Amino acid sequence: MTEERLLEINGLVLNFYTYEGIVQALDGVNLYIRDGETLGLVGETGCGKSVTSLSTLVLIPSPGKIEGGRILFNVQGKKVDLLKQSDEHLRTIRGKDISMVFQEPRVYLNPVYTVSSQISEVLVKHRKEEFLKKALESLKQERRKKGLKGSTFEMNLYERMLKNPNSLTNKILSKIPGSQRRFKLEVQREVVRILRGMGIPDPERVAKMYPHELSGGMAQRVVIAMALACNPKLLIADEPTTNLDVTVQAQILSLIKRLKSMFKSSVLYITHDLGVISEISDRVAVMYAGNVVELADVYELFKKPLHPYTRGLLESIPRPGKPLKSIPGTVPSLLNPPSGCRFHDRCSYAMEICRKVKPAFTEVEKDHFVACNLYGGSK
Amino acid sequence: MSTLLHIKGLKKYYPIIGGIFKRKMADVKAVDGVNLTIMKGECFGLVGESGCGKTTLGKTIIRLLTPDAGSIYYNIPEDILEEIDKLEKENPRSSKLRRIREEYDLATFKGRKLRQLRRKMQIVYQDPTTSLDPRMLVKDIVAEPLVAQGLARGSEAKKMVVDMLERVGLSEKHLCRYPHEFSGGQRQRIAVSRALIVRPEFVVLDEPTSSVDVSVRAQLLNLFKDLGKDFGLTYMFVSHDLSVVEVISDRVAVMYLGKIVEVATTEELFKEPLHPYAQGLFASIPIPDPTRRRERPPLTGDVPSPVNPPSGCRFHPRCQSVTDVCRKEEPQLVDVGNGHLVACHVISSELGK
Amino acid sequence: MTTSSRWEEFKASMQPRIKEWKFMFKRVQESPLSLVGIAIILGFVILSALSPVLAPPPYADPFIIPRDEEIAKLSPLPTPPTIEHPFGTTDQHYDIYYACIWGTITAFRIGITTVMVALMIGIIIGVAAAYYGGLADEALMRFTDIIIAFPGLILAMALVIAIPTVFTLNVSFILVVIFGLTTFFAFITRARMKIKVILLIIFIAVLASVLLYPLNLRFSLNNLDKVLITLWLIGWPSYARVIRGEVLRVKNEDYIEAAKAAGTSDLGIVIKHILPNAIYPIIIMASLDIGSIVLTAAALSFLGLGAPPNYADWGQIIQRSRNWIGRELIRYMHVFLIPGIFIFVFVLGWNLLGDALRDVLDPTLRRR
Amino acid sequence: MVRKLGLLTYVARRLILLIPVVLGVSMLIFAITMCFPPTIRALLYIRNPQALTPENIEGVIKKYHLNDPFYIQYFTWLAQVLQGNLGWSQTASAPVFSAILVRFPATFEIIVFAAPVIIILGLYLGIQSAVYKDKILDHITRSAAIIGWSLPSFWFGFILMAVFYGYLGWLPPGRLTREVQHFVDSSQLFTKYTGLYILDGILNGQLAVSWDAFKHVILPATVITVIDIALIIRVARSSMLEALSKGYIITAKAKGLTQKEVINKHARRNALIPVTTISGLLVASLMTGVVITETVFGFGGLGSWAAQSAQQLDVPSVLGFAMFTAIVFVIANLIVDVLYAFIDPRIRLA
């Protein structure tokens, strides 16, 4: 079973050291994503969804510190713990194997660069060789057509760069203006191609725009284009439609679905909206106060939720004709989280043991994991 | 049920300042000719995408914004309303009409009259982190309308504040705290008690649940329902979250680019939306049930800019069943039966046949 | 209500504020540099309080530096530090120790009064510009632009020589204008009738009395007074600008509209909501400004435009070193070195405090 | 196309906004002149001292309407100013306008040495300090900036002079050594092409002059640099910190860029925006600094002339200088505004 898991997070613990004390943001997060599936991660504000996603890229926001756990990722058939990789190795994974789409696309685009320059950056970073070859090929072809022989400076440069990408002389030579014209053209062409694939009308024009000139939906498409530019194995989407209109949200959701099946990527989709979750995901992980409390197939979860929090969450969806239910109390502060099970003080099934013992994450049924003492998790 | 508000041809434009001399370049037509009636004691839902002018409409009705045209008749007897219609047709400049409007039309209110209106009409904002002054204590925040209106002060005001706080589920111990010490749901409760402490008749709820967590949202919705019943309130519930509107509203209006495109009772509208935009909007809502995934393709394109809205029917560039007349003529709201109003050429022509 | 319960209530309402202060204090404690700044300023406060003890004034006006005229006649050159003159003397035998001690009070007076006046003018103009907007805003902001266009010291130089030594202030005219404007504004706003009538009566009374007995005040100004007035006149524009920006920012917040919806009057909104939320950047600016104001005043003194030659002022003493620009400078180093240390440390203290305040009061760092 | 139009509109608006400010500057200067009696004001109109003697002073007053209402006086005065007549400088024994022109190169020499160091080094230190926040480098840079900002420039200048001239005898005060000055002023071999002695020395092939002039510029330039660099460091640091906290930095990291690429490409360009706007203030600060340091070092430029004029109550010179600095400031700000629009694409649409 485990061999098909693309990403596996085991017991991830992360604390923030702030002025007011230690915020225990992640308290042993467990989840896994299989090849080619969409995992929906659902939870309320401040439950640690975004922190989990950033940790997957090993980009921990500043006062935070990972204090335990493993993040196993399948790189070329080999499982590696991302937390133990060198920064250099991580950089070859970021943007190439794992990429990310954020909420508020315009905040996550650099306001002073055009769309095309921001997308080509990631292309040049990870797919440079491909474009060098393409450029070289087209240059050779053109010269053959014209019946010219020998080589030009540009050609030489490409060949040298292909042979020895990290040499200093090549880097300096490539700084000469105009020396990489064809290479840049190839990259540009790819940018436009990717943008068109995102269903953006008039991609040539959009490529030349600055982020502030784009509408929210358009900007989110650009961010998705940037994330999918290198055909990643895992796409992390952190509430990508939260601030968009419902009609635009529907467009983006169907775009992600389409691209996912096209690229055969896995998706980690983070949201607080249960509607979106049921729409897009194959399996769902429910988070509460720094823990994944339930992980199951989406049909199973909606039909037969096991954890009291999941139940409460599903019941608080407004449905006409039914009385509105809600979970009493409020989300606890992670500065001083409740002992034992962090949900115990809002839970109507709470037992004595819940106050003391933190329930383990157990497979109750096949592929259905719960962290709750009701299901013998405390064993 | 009698009507509480009659809104006629209401317009609110925001000027765009620019150019070399910082002159007015154009207008954002946020609300562009809205006709509505709101019944006493109902919860009137207003849905639409962001930027369609629904918040502006709400704020203009309670006169936090000054409308550029149109009238808002509040608590007006039927016979006088008929008289106004007659007068408007005969002689729109008659002094009698002016006198009536000065008495009933909120759009003409100024100064003291406007401030007294604040006792009758209140608002709850979308985000309580920004609508509560971060440097004021809860007791001062909630008491502010009382003090400003000169209704109560000192210990009397304090007693009213405590009563109100207890009514929304907070208590006396919360009096001397700053807003940032509360959770989102509690903050919204504070905002609600500030709005209701002057015992208004009409309350605009401007996306009051969009910034709180799912598990708390239901608590707030229940609170609104209870308070509405107990205080005999009329609500205008502005939201883009259709599932919330569905459970709380009695009637719903759908707004697109500054215009109302459809009005109906909640059951009718959610069962069968008629306007193509309403249909697209309803199809776009993700349903929290994996067995009922969407089949219909979503609406294409973005919402056009409200500065230069499309000619004719504003929805025509995105509409599937667009006809020639849609590009030229603006459709009017037409009753298709049972008080179900739709502004669509295609539907009204079908009806005509 | 009994007094004790009222006290309880007061205590309860003060508690969250005290909590805020404690939090801020904790933050201050975490940056040792700010503690140094506070210590320096406290040190100077103590120094100025103790100055009559540390350097007993021989004349009625304590700011006149004592000098031994007999010795000055014999040798006009500065003398290095001795037991009698711990910091040495300047040329003409003025005591540097005395000047340094009493110069502290001069520095405080210049810095604090200027910042106060600048704050007052800046707040009034900035709030008025932001709140009324339109033409008033444009006019007021262009006016501040004009003053900001001049480098502070250079405009101060021009103003100091322009202010006449004998200054006649037409008090009657000012009174009539002030009360006239107040009454006018009371009548165009929605003030209570009682207030309007009282204001009108006062205005008529003032007008009548001023017509009967015109009041003119004659001031004779020394150079230091001119420096003060100059600094008051040119200090406010940056405050006005910042305040205006802050008010414009705050004005668009939801809670301002909420206050409007509550029926609070315009003035009430400004006082209760806008000012408390807009004031913090100005406080930081003010504390950073005290340092630069003292520097500007000292620079004016250094250029010979400030305090008169026998006046206890740090810059004025340093100015005396200008006589030996060149090789001899090192021989009479004490003349500029010691007062310079006073200026430097004083300014450093305020700058450190301002820097710390910026960190503590920075709204982006506040907990939510 | 739209973008270009936006930029043009923006520049046009800036240019038009200049007019009221420049007019206002002239009015303020005029208002200051009105504090003086007509006999002193007369100096503002004459082009040589012979034009103003006790006998003909009444004639001058009459000719320039000095007893007329202020608005008439303003226009006669403005007409003179627009003709380049700023009055007679007693301190320089020359018309104010030509006195400014003659002295400007000396001041410019100091600024040419100080300003690039202030901007480039200040930016570098500020950015490094932000990148290595709360590390040793940051603490040192911040402390140095605060100390520099708190230093009284004249005091610091005196200390430097006492050390480098009084004690070490290396860097003398003044603009040139006396013999060199004599050579420069009277020799046939030396032509003052630009008035910048370092440049003129090279142009004349007299490198000794250049060297001598350079030695005299070092200390004043150092004083100005040390004091004004704090401004740039502070702004560069805080804007860099802000830029580093933005979402697009996370995006850049998530793309797999190196720390260096993230900082140099994504953060720095955004951090430059506030630094550009503050550079206008730097101009004002430099002008103030020049007045003090030139006086300290007896450096014969604009600043020391202005200081001397103020001390001798030479009204036309002081006001002429004040007007000059204000105009320089306004023009510098115009340039800054245009630069700003180039760096930040968002501003062009505003």
Side-chain angles (χ1 to χ4, degrees):
Chain A
M1 224 29 181
T2 40
E3 62 277 359
E4 66 187 48
R5 289 181 184 178
L6 176 69
L7 176 86
E8 195 173 343
I9 298 178
N10 284 334
L12 189 66
V13 178
L14 186 142
N15 291 341
F16 284 107
Y17 292 85
T18 67
Y19 272 115
E20 283 153 273
I22 304 166
V23 176
Q24 301 168 28
L26 298 184
D27 182 32
V29 166
N30 300 297
L31 56 85
Y32 65 91
I33 302 173
R34 294 187 189 127
D35 272 329
E37 77 168 359
T38 302
L39 178 74
L41 184 59
V42 67
E44 294 173 293
T45 327
C47 72
K49 300 179 304 246
S50 297
V51 182
T52 309
S53 67
L54 283 172
S55 305
T56 313
L57 279 172
V58 204
L59 291 172
I60 302 113
S62 99
K65 230 175 142 185
I66 290 186
E67 315 227 301
R70 292 186 304 170
I71 300 175
L72 298 174
F73 185 68
N74 201 340
V75 187
Q76 282 131 23
K78 222 171 65 189
K79 286 209 170 203
V80 290
D81 186 353
L82 292 181
L83 295 176
K84 290 191 182 125
Q85 300 308 303
S86 70
D87 212 36
E88 211 173 318
H89 187 206
L90 281 174
R91 279 201 299 272
T92 63
I93 294 174
R94 285 181 201 146
K96 182 157 181 283
D97 294 324
I98 308 177
S99 59
M100 195 153 174
V101 175
F102 302 92
Q103 194 183 353
E104 301 269 6
R106 268 174 287 191
V107 172
Y108 286 88
L109 286 171
N110 196 330
V112 298
Y113 293 111
T114 58
V115 165
S116 93
S117 92
Q118 297 192 52
I119 297 179
S120 53
E121 198 177 29
V122 68
L123 290 175
V124 171
K125 189 82 206 169
H126 299 293
R127 288 167 65 184
K128 193 170 188 176
E129 210 171 308
E130 188 187 326
F131 292 112
L132 282 175
K133 274 183 193 155
K134 263 192 194 165
L136 195 61
E137 207 44 54
S138 82
L139 197 62
K140 276 182 184 162
Q141 227 165 39
E142 195 178 301
R143 292 180 70 81
R144 223 176 286 140
K145 227 181 253 170
K146 284 185 187 163
L148 292 167
K149 279 192 184 150
S151 59
T152 61
F153 169 69
E154 206 179 353
M155 231 157 106
N156 275 332
L157 182 69
Y158 292 151
E159 272 163 5
R160 290 181 60 157
M161 281 167 92
L162 273 169
K163 243 180 267 164
N164 191 359
N166 289 327
S167 102
L168 191 67
T169 25
N170 288 344
K171 268 183 195 158
I172 293 167
L173 283 176
S174 66
K175 288 268 155 51
I176 299 171
S179 65
Q180 287 182 299
R181 201 177 47 85
R182 201 168 296 266
F183 170 70
K184 281 181 183 154
L185 211 71
E186 285 302 326
V187 175
Q188 215 56 35
R189 204 171 286 159
E190 176 72 3
V191 167
V192 171
R193 200 187 63 79
I194 295 172
L195 286 177
R196 186 169 290 126
M198 295 300 125
I200 291 175
D202 202 355
E204 286 89 358
R205 200 173 58 90
V206 171
K208 290 193 193 97
M209 283 174 146
Y210 286 95
H212 69 273
E213 297 169 290
L214 303 170
S215 73
M218 201 62 89
Q220 194 56 284
R221 283 196 184 94
V222 168
V223 174
I224 293 174
M226 210 152 77
L228 295 179
C230 297
N231 197 352
K233 286 189 215 142
L234 176 63
L235 174 72
I236 301 173
D238 186 357
E239 309 229 17
T241 60
T242 299
N243 286 322
L244 301 177
D245 282 319
V246 272
T247 57
V248 181
Q249 167 174 299
Q251 293 166 14
I252 297 280
L253 286 180
S254 66
L255 178 70
I256 291 178
K257 272 197 227 167
R258 185 166 61 85
L259 294 172
K260 187 200 115 188
S261 59
M262 214 163 85
F263 287 118
K264 306 207 166 33
S265 307
S266 302
V267 179
L268 174 61
Y269 196 100
I270 297 164
T271 181
H272 65 270
D273 188 331
L274 289 162
V276 173
I277 279 287
S278 79
E279 177 90 33
I280 199 163
S281 41
D282 301 318
R283 285 188 315 127
V284 182
V286 182
M287 266 192 104
Y288 181 77
N291 288 307
V292 171
V293 294
E294 191 160 1
L295 177 68
D297 183 86
V298 63
Y299 294 99
E300 168 121 352
L301 187 97
F302 274 82
K303 207 170 71 197
K304 215 174 90 186
L306 293 179
H307 197 283
Y309 174 68
T310 316
R311 275 187 219 165
L313 210 56
L314 291 175
E315 274 166 3
S316 63
I317 299 169
R319 289 201 165 84
K322 281 188 192 164
L324 268 171
K325 278 194 192 162
S326 60
I327 305 173
T330 53
V331 180
S333 149
L334 297 183
L335 259 178
N336 260 320
S339 59
C341 173
R342 287 186 172 182
F343 187 61
H344 80 248
D345 53 355
R346 296 175 75 187
C347 181
S348 45
Y349 305 93
M351 305 174 287
E352 194 53 39
I353 186 173
C354 298
R355 240 174 281 279
K356 292 169 199 145
V357 182
K358 185 175 147 46
F361 192 66
T362 24
E363 192 166 5
V364 179
E365 281 164 44
K366 186 168 173 293
D367 288 342
H368 195 152
F369 295 81
V370 184
C372 179
N373 289 324
L374 284 177
Y375 303 97
S378 61
K379 269 180 278 180
Chain B
M1 253 201 293
S2 58
T3 53
L4 184 72
L5 276 160
H6 266 279
I7 294 148
K8 273 185 156 182
L10 197 66
K11 285 183 185 174
K12 175 69 195 171
Y13 293 173
Y14 294 108
I16 297 174
I17 312 272
I20 298 175
F21 294 101
K22 295 227 160 165
R23 291 265 195 80
K24 194 172 100 169
M25 305 280 282
D27 279 315
V28 177
K29 298 177 174 100
V31 174
D32 198 12
V34 162
N35 298 310
L36 270 184
T37 51
I38 295 175
M39 306 292 168
K40 220 170 243 173
E42 77 171 340
C43 176
F44 186 82
L46 185 62
V47 298
E49 295 176 87
S50 59
C52 73
K54 53 190 193 303
T55 297
T56 306
L57 176 59
K59 287 181 182 172
T60 311
I61 291 175
I62 62 166
R63 280 303 315 278
L64 276 173
L65 300 170
T66 309
D68 291 304
S71 19
I72 309 155
Y73 297 111
Y74 180 65
N75 243 344
I76 187 169
E78 284 294 327
D79 50 329
I80 296 183
L81 199 65
E82 276 160 27
E83 202 179 335
I84 290 172
D85 276 341
K86 214 172 77 195
L87 282 168
E88 266 175 356
K89 258 177 223 145
E90 283 165 7
N91 181 10
R93 289 201 187 148
S94 74
S95 61
K96 194 171 177 201
L97 181 65
R98 210 183 62 224
R99 244 180 293 122
I100 295 176
R101 284 190 60 182
E102 264 167 26
E103 194 180 341
Y104 291 101
D105 186 358
L106 306 188
T108 64
F109 279 22
K110 275 195 216 98
R112 182 158 296 178
K113 238 176 150 183
L114 195 58
R115 274 174 80 186
Q116 274 167 356
L117 184 72
R118 307 278 180 238
R119 260 179 240 178
K120 305 242 172 73
M121 296 182 153
Q122 277 295 330
I123 179 166
V124 175
Y125 289 86
Q126 172 173 10
D127 186 356
T129 40
T130 61
S131 74
L132 303 176
D133 189 337
R135 302 213 176 273
M136 268 170 108
L137 297 175
V138 169
K139 62 172 182 143
D140 298 325
I141 291 174
V142 179
E144 187 175 13
L146 289 178
V147 176
Q149 301 280 356
L151 296 175
R153 23 186 87 178
S155 55
E156 190 191 349
K158 193 189 155 193
K159 199 179 160 293
M160 287 169 80
V161 169
V162 173
D163 285 349
M164 197 64 229
L165 282 180
E166 276 165 1
R167 187 64 197 74
V168 300
L170 296 169
S171 70
E172 198 174 348
K173 70 169 193 248
H174 294 121
L175 276 177
C176 291
R177 287 200 194 163
Y178 284 109
H180 69 77
E181 296 175 64
F182 293 89
S183 71
Q186 286 172 317
R187 274 181 225 164
Q188 198 59 291
R189 285 164 197 266
I190 297 168
V192 170
S193 51
R194 168 179 60 190
L196 296 188
I197 197 153
V198 288
R199 301 296 152 104
E201 294 166 4
F202 179 68
V203 179
V204 173
L205 303 172
D206 183 12
E207 312 222 16
T209 58
S210 68
S211 65
V212 298
D213 279 322
V214 193
S215 68
V216 180
R217 187 173 63 187
Q219 296 173 3
L220 276 179
L221 288 176
N222 282 331
L223 180 72
F224 289 134
K225 276 190 166 174
D226 293 349
L227 290 173
K229 222 180 288 157
D230 295 357
F231 289 22
L233 295 173
T234 306
Y235 283 133
M236 175 154 170
F237 195 97
V238 179
S239 183
H240 66 267
D241 189 340
L242 293 157
S243 59
V244 169
V245 172
E246 190 176 4
V247 294
I248 200 163
S249 320
D250 302 313
R251 283 196 311 142
V252 180
V254 182
M255 207 169 166
Y256 183 74
L257 270 186
K259 289 262 181 198
I260 303 277
V261 295
E262 188 163 357
V263 187
T265 59
T266 311
E267 295 93 64
E268 257 193 66
L269 190 71
F270 277 76
K271 204 170 74 197
E272 205 196 348
L274 294 177
H275 195 280
Y277 172 68
Q279 288 172 351
L281 185 69
F282 281 62
S284 300
I285 319 159
I287 303 154
D289 185 350
T291 55
R292 282 169 60 199
R293 286 196 181 167
R294 173 173 46 231
E295 282 109 45
R296 232 189 303 203
L299 279 177
T300 52
D302 274 346
V303 182
S305 149
V307 179
N308 282 315
S311 61
C313 172
R314 294 185 175 187
F315 186 61
H316 83 252
R318 298 173 79 186
C319 188
Q320 305 279 333
S321 43
V322 58
T323 61
D324 271 353
V325 69
C326 300
R327 294 196 185 90
K328 286 173 212 140
E329 260 176 62
E330 219 177 286
Q332 299 299 316
L333 278 174
V334 178
D335 196 335
V336 295
N338 251 343
H340 190 146
L341 308 175
V342 186
C344 178
H345 288 303
V346 179
I347 290 169
S348 38
S349 66
E350 267 171 23
L351 208 72
K353 278 174 205 165
Chain C
M1 205 184 282
T2 61
T3 33
S4 77
S5 81
R6 215 174 260 178
W7 169 242
E8 288 297 317
E9 201 180 305
F10 178 72
K11 241 171 51 186
S13 68
M14 284 313 280
Q15 212 158 22
R17 290 194 179 116
I18 292 168
K19 226 167 107 188
E20 288 280 292
W21 289 334
K22 271 188 183 159
F23 176 67
M24 278 182 196
F25 191 66
K26 217 176 113 198
R27 297 276 302 273
V28 168
Q29 276 179 321
E30 276 163 21
S31 102
L33 277 185
S34 64
L35 287 180
V36 174
I38 292 169
I40 290 174
I41 292 160
L42 273 180
F44 275 106
V45 169
I46 294 167
L47 193 69
S48 52
L50 291 181
S51 42
V53 186
L54 291 171
Y59 312 120
D61 182 351
F63 291 100
I64 306 293
I65 311 170
R67 74 188 267 237
D68 203 328
E69 279 178 43
E70 296 301 313
I71 301 173
K73 262 181 208 153
L74 284 173
S75 137
L77 291 175
T79 53
T82 56
I83 293 171
E84 203 181 333
H85 302 290
F87 294 170
T89 65
T90 67
D91 56 323
Q92 303 301 332
H93 229 262
Y94 287 107
D95 183 27
I96 297 177
Y97 169 75
Y98 188 90
C100 283
I101 299 290
W102 284 91
T104 310
I105 298 180
T106 312
F108 269 118
R109 198 173 57 169
I110 293 172
I112 289 175
T113 56
T114 306
V115 162
M116 289 289 175
V117 173
L119 260 179
M120 236 161 60
I121 304 178
I123 288 177
I124 291 172
I125 290 193
V127 170
Y131 204 82
Y132 291 106
L135 211 60
D137 182 25
E138 199 72 5
L140 287 172
M141 282 304 113
R142 289 295 85 78
F143 185 46
T144 59
D145 278 354
I146 289 160
I147 296 185
I148 289 176
F150 290 92
L153 179 78
I154 291 161
L155 184 58
M157 274 162 57
L159 279 173
V160 166
I161 63 170
I163 294 172
T165 309
V166 177
F167 198 75
T168 312
L169 198 63
N170 193 336
V171 181
S172 328
F173 179 71
I174 293 174
L175 279 179
V176 168
V177 168
I178 290 175
F179 280 99
L181 280 180
T182 336
T183 318
F184 176 72
F185 275 112
F187 270 87
I188 60 167
T189 55
R190 298 181 300 266
R192 290 197 188 134
M193 204 54 212
K194 227 197 285 178
I195 298 173
K196 285 182 190 171
V197 170
I198 292 172
L199 274 173
L200 192 65
I201 291 169
I202 293 177
F203 175 64
I204 291 167
V206 168
L207 193 65
S209 64
V210 159
L211 285 177
L212 288 174
Y213 303 101
L215 268 171
N216 275 321
L217 279 183
R218 282 167 69 85
F219 297 99
S220 81
L221 305 170
N222 70 20
N223 267 354
L224 192 67
D225 299 331
K226 289 186 192 174
V227 168
L228 266 180
I229 292 173
T230 302
L231 291 175
W232 293 351
L233 288 178
I234 64 175
W236 58 268
S238 47
Y239 292 96
R241 241 189 207 184
V242 174
I243 266 281
R244 172 180 171 271
E246 281 298 302
V247 172
L248 284 182
R249 178 183 65 79
V250 173
K251 201 173 142 183
N252 287 327
E253 296 275 350
D254 272 352
Y255 55 78
I256 300 299
E257 203 185 74
K260 216 165 110 192
T264 311
S265 63
D266 286 2
L267 195 66
I269 287 178
V270 170
I271 292 169
K272 271 166 77 182
H273 298 281
I274 291 182
L275 274 183
N277 283 291
I279 204 81
Y280 283 84
I282 318 298
I283 293 178
I284 297 164
M285 249 181 99
S287 81
L288 285 170
D289 227 23
I290 289 182
S292 48
I293 284 164
V294 169
L295 277 182
T296 306
L300 282 171
S301 288
F302 170 76
L303 294 175
L305 300 174
N310 58 354
Y311 199 89
D313 175 78
W314 298 331
Q316 187 269 124
I317 300 287
I318 297 181
Q319 184 254 137
R320 292 171 165 273
S321 282
R322 281 173 63 188
N323 296 329
W324 306 285
I325 287 178
R327 282 244 148 132
E328 306 92 280
L329 193 62
I330 198 160
R331 200 187 303 160
Y332 306 123
M333 246 169 81
H334 65 276
V335 176
F336 70 82
L337 205 58
I338 294 167
I341 290 173
F342 272 80
I343 301 180
F344 170 58
V345 175
F346 187 84
V347 175
L348 186 68
W350 284 107
N351 283 351
L352 286 175
L353 179 74
D355 223 44
L357 275 182
R358 188 195 350 239
D359 286 351
V360 173
L361 301 177
D362 186 350
T364 58
L365 292 175
R366 277 175 65 85
R367 54 182 171 176
R368 275 274 162 199
Chain D
M1 193 56 205
V2 171
R3 209 172 297 141
K4 274 210 180 105
L5 262 182
L7 190 62
L8 272 181
T9 324
Y10 175 78
V11 173
R13 185 173 150 69
R14 291 287 126 182
L15 271 173
I16 286 171
L17 276 180
L18 269 187
I19 297 169
V21 174
V22 171
L23 265 182
V25 163
S26 75
M27 282 179 200
L28 185 61
I29 294 280
F30 177 74
I32 296 174
T33 69
M34 291 304 281
C35 296
F36 298 99
T39 46
I40 290 183
R41 284 214 304 275
L43 281 169
L44 285 160
Y45 297 88
I46 56 169
R47 287 165 199 259
N48 60 66
Q50 286 84 40
L52 193 72
T53 53
E55 295 89 61
N56 68 4
I57 192 159
E58 284 305 319
V60 174
I61 289 175
K62 200 151 193 196
K63 184 178 170 198
Y64 295 107
H65 310 280
L66 296 188
N67 281 327
D68 282 6
F70 66 90
Y71 45 90
I72 294 174
Q73 282 194 48
Y74 174 67
F75 287 112
T76 50
W77 175 78
L78 196 64
Q80 293 293 318
V81 170
L82 289 177
Q83 291 165 34
N85 179 18
L86 295 166
W88 178 258
S89 167
Q90 288 169 315
T91 321
S93 307
V96 170
F97 193 68
S98 57
I100 290 176
L101 284 186
V102 166
R103 282 168 181 75
F104 182 65
T107 302
F108 191 66
E109 233 169 22
I110 298 182
I111 290 177
V112 157
F113 279 97
V117 181
I118 291 174
I119 291 176
I120 294 169
L121 188 68
L123 259 177
Y124 176 78
L125 287 177
I127 286 174
Q128 289 299 311
S129 172
V131 171
Y132 300 102
K133 185 174 181 265
D134 291 331
K135 301 268 163 56
I136 290 287
L137 178 81
D138 181 31
H139 289 309
I140 294 175
T141 312
R142 281 182 82 188
S143 314
I146 287 194
I147 288 174
W149 197 235
S150 312
L151 277 176
S153 47
F154 44 90
W155 181 63
F156 184 51
F158 274 153
I159 293 176
L160 287 186
M161 190 157 50
V163 174
F164 287 94
Y165 185 58
Y167 184 67
L168 296 168
W170 289 349
L171 303 169
R175 193 162 175 221
L176 288 173
T177 322
R178 194 174 298 148
E179 302 82 59
V180 181
Q181 184 78 53
H182 186 74
F183 170 76
V184 165
D185 284 343
S186 49
S187 170
Q188 300 285 325
L189 294 171
F190 198 89
T191 323
K192 292 178 184 171
Y193 297 107
T194 57
L196 306 164
Y197 287 162
I198 297 175
L199 191 61
D200 284 348
I202 296 168
L203 290 178
N204 282 299
Q206 300 283 354
L207 291 179
V209 175
S210 295
W211 175 240
D212 191 59
F214 179 66
K215 277 203 297 191
H216 285 82
V217 163
I218 293 176
L219 283 189
T222 308
V223 171
I224 290 184
T225 306
V226 167
I227 285 166
D228 284 344
I229 202 169
L231 182 73
I232 300 290
I233 290 181
R234 179 177 285 180
V235 177
R237 179 177 181 273
S238 65
S239 57
M240 188 70 184
L241 277 180
E242 199 193 320
L244 282 175
S245 71
K246 287 284 169 64
Y248 49 78
I249 296 298
I250 299 180
T251 312
K253 284 183 186 161
K255 280 180 189 172
L257 301 186
T258 60
Q259 176 80 356
K260 221 169 108 193
E261 285 168 316
V262 171
I263 288 164
N264 290 350
K265 190 172 174 205
H266 287 273
R268 200 169 58 192
R269 177 105 186 246
N270 282 286
L272 270 179
I273 295 166
V275 178
T276 315
T277 49
I278 213 73
S279 304
L281 270 185
L282 183 68
V283 172
S285 189
L286 280 175
M287 282 307 199
T288 309
V290 156
V291 173
I292 307 276
T293 42
E294 284 187 6
T295 307
V296 168
F297 292 101
F299 193 93
L302 273 180
S304 61
W305 166 66
Q308 211 184 340
S309 308
Q311 219 169 357
Q312 294 171 6
L313 300 183
D314 176 357
V315 177
S317 306
V318 174
L319 293 182
F321 178 67
M323 188 131 83
F324 173 75
T325 55
I327 303 287
V328 167
F329 178 85
V330 168
I331 292 170
N333 268 303
L334 179 72
I335 296 170
V336 161
D337 279 343
V338 175
L339 271 183
Y340 182 36
F342 269 104
I343 297 179
D344 189 349
R346 285 165 294 184
I347 198 79
R348 296 170 212 165
L349 285 181

